[in-house]
C-alpha cells in the first residue's frame, strides 16, 4: 500500500482528474483530486486543477479557496492566479479579480488568457479603453486566441467602435468557427453599423 502513496501516484491521479474534467465528468474529477490530496496535501497543481473544476461547476467560493491553497504552497504559478481571478470575477469581486490577473501577468507578461480575462473584467466595470488595451495585449501574445479577439470585440462594442468590434468578432470566428457567441455578437454589431 505504501507504493500507492508516492509522488508518482499523485501525478497519476492528477492526470486522471484532468481527463475526467476534460470529459465533463466533474464529480469524478473532484473525487480523484481529493484522493490525490489525501496522499499529498501540498500538491499545488492538484489544488489548482480542483479549483478549475469547482469553477466549472459554479462552486466559485470553493474554487477561490482551492486556488488560494495552491498559491499558499506555490505563489509563482501564473495559471493559478488567473484561475483565482476568473472565480473572483464570477463572484462579482472584480477588484480582487483584477489584482489576481495582474499577479498572473507579473509572472508571465505574455499570458494571453490573463490579458483577455483582465480585459473582460475591465469592460464589465465600464473601463472600455483599458479593456481594449488589455485585449490587444492578449491578441498580440497569441494571435490565434479566439477568446482574446472575442473579448476585444466586446470592448470595442462597449466603446461604440462598432467597425473595429465587427473585425474583432470576425477574427475570433476565423480562429474558432465554433465560437457561437462571437457569431451572435457579430450579427448584433453589424446591425448597429450604418
Amino acid at each position: 500500500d505504501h507504493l500507492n502513496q508516492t509522488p508518482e501516484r499523485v501525478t497519476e491521479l492528477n492526470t486522471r482528474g484532468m481527463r475526467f474534467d476534460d470529459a465533463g465528468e466533474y464529480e469524478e474529477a473532484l473525487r480523484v483530486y481529493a484522493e490525490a490530496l489525501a496522499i499529498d496535501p501540498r500538491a499545488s497543481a492538484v489544488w489548482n486543477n480542483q479549483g478549475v473544476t469547482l469553477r466549472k461547476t459554479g462552486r466559485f467560493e470553493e474554487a477561490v479557496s482551492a486556488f488560494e491553497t495552491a498559491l499558499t504552497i506555490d505563489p509563482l504559478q501564473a495559471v493559478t492566479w488567473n484561475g483565482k481571478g476568473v472565480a473572483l470575477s464570477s463572484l462579482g469581486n472584480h477588484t480582487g479579480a483584477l489584482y489576481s490577473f495582474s499577479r498572473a501577468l507579473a509572472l508571465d507578461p505574455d499570458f494571453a488568457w490573463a490579458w483577455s480575462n483582465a480585459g473582460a473584467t475591465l469592460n464589465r466595470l465600464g473601463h472600455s479603453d483599458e479593456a481594449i488595451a488589455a485585449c490587444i495585449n492578449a491578441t498580440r501574445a497569441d494571435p490565434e486566441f479566439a477568446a482574446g479577439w472575442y473579448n476585444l470585440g466586446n470592448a470595442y462594442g462597449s466603446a461604440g467602435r462598432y467597425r473595429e468590434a465587427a473585425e474583432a468578432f470576425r477574427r475570433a470566428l476565423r480562429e474558432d468557427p465554433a465560437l457561437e457567441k462571437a457569431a451572435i455578437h457579430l450579427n448584433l454589431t453589424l446591425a448597429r453599423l450604418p
Side-chain angles (χ1 to χ4, degrees):
D1 192 39
H2 178 68
L3 293 174
N4 280 339
Q5 308 299 315
T6 64
E8 293 80 15
R9 177 72 176 146
V10 172
T11 301
E12 174 192 318
L13 289 167
N14 192 37
T15 301
R16 279 183 56 207
M18 290 187 295
R19 277 201 268 318
F20 283 127
D21 180 278
D22 289 343
E25 297 179 36
Y26 301 126
E27 291 309 313
E28 191 61 23
L30 292 171
R31 187 194 63 72
V32 173
Y33 293 142
E35 186 179 340
L37 292 169
I39 296 168
D40 182 4
R42 296 198 46 80
S44 64
V46 179
W47 283 109
N48 175 73
N49 291 336
Q50 183 183 64
V52 170
T53 301
L54 288 164
R55 181 182 49 78
K56 288 179 180 179
T57 62
R59 294 159 63 180
F60 303 118
E61 288 98 353
E62 291 174 80
V64 169
S65 179
F67 289 127
E68 287 176 345
T69 301
L71 290 166
T72 299
I73 298 163
D74 185 358
L76 301 179
Q77 293 300 315
V79 68
T80 307
W81 282 107
N82 181 66
K84 180 181 175 185
V86 172
L88 288 169
S89 184
S90 296
L91 289 168
N93 181 349
H94 301 303
T95 302
L98 288 172
Y99 174 77
S100 292
F101 299 139
S102 73
R103 291 292 303 264
L105 291 165
L107 293 165
D108 182 358
D110 294 323
F111 191 4
W113 273 108
W115 279 117
S116 182
N117 290 330
T121 301
L122 287 162
N123 198 43
R124 277 188 216 101
L125 292 171
H127 303 295
S128 56
D129 289 340
E130 291 174 71
I132 290 167
C135 291
I136 286 172
N137 284 332
T139 61
R140 284 183 181 152
D142 183 355
E144 298 175 358
F145 182 43
W149 290 105
Y150 170 77
N151 285 334
L152 179 59
N154 282 333
Y156 277 136
S158 294
R161 295 166 63 177
Y162 301 119
R163 289 194 193 290
E164 291 158 296
E167 283 308 308
F169 291 133
R170 283 188 186 103
R171 180 64 186 265
L173 287 167
R174 194 163 49 241
E175 300 305 334
D176 182 359
L179 190 61
E180 290 181 34
K181 60 186 179 181
I184 292 167
H185 280 89
L186 174 59
N187 289 329
L188 292 171
T189 300
L190 291 174
R192 293 182 165 192
L193 290 174

